[in-house]
Amino acid sequence: MARKDEALQKIESHEKLCRIMQKQTHDKIHSIETQIQRIESILLITSGALISGLIYVIFQLITK
């Protein structure tokens, strides 16, 4: 019976460790998602500004 209790204790400890690691992994993934969304926003704004600037330059060159 002692071996069975010991085996159950090991399984429970392992499951607890797995849950902790799963939560840490989830938190890290969430953090990375937030960073990616921020980078996407910066990239879109920068691209929009660059395209607008190029359109303005082309327009100025055509009208002169």
Side-chain angles (χ1 to χ4, degrees):
M1 197 65 147
R3 293 185 121 202
K4 185 177 180 181
D5 291 340
E6 185 179 323
L8 286 173
Q9 180 64 33
K10 285 183 179 182
I11 291 171
E12 288 174 0
S13 296
H14 180 74
E15 287 179 351
K16 184 176 180 181
L17 178 62
C18 287
R19 283 192 297 272
I20 291 169
M21 291 175 67
Q22 184 179 20
K23 178 161 181 6
Q24 289 175 343
T25 302
H26 179 272
D27 292 345
K28 286 179 184 178
I29 290 171
H30 182 70
S31 172
I32 291 170
E33 284 178 341
T34 304
Q35 291 174 351
I36 288 172
Q37 288 174 353
R38 181 174 171 265
I39 291 170
E40 285 175 343
S41 297
I42 291 170
L43 183 61
L44 288 173
I45 291 168
T46 304
S47 298
L50 182 62
I51 291 170
S52 297
L54 289 173
I55 290 173
Y56 174 76
V57 168
I58 291 170
F59 179 74
Q60 290 299 315
L61 290 173
I62 291 174
T63 56
K64 286 187 176 185

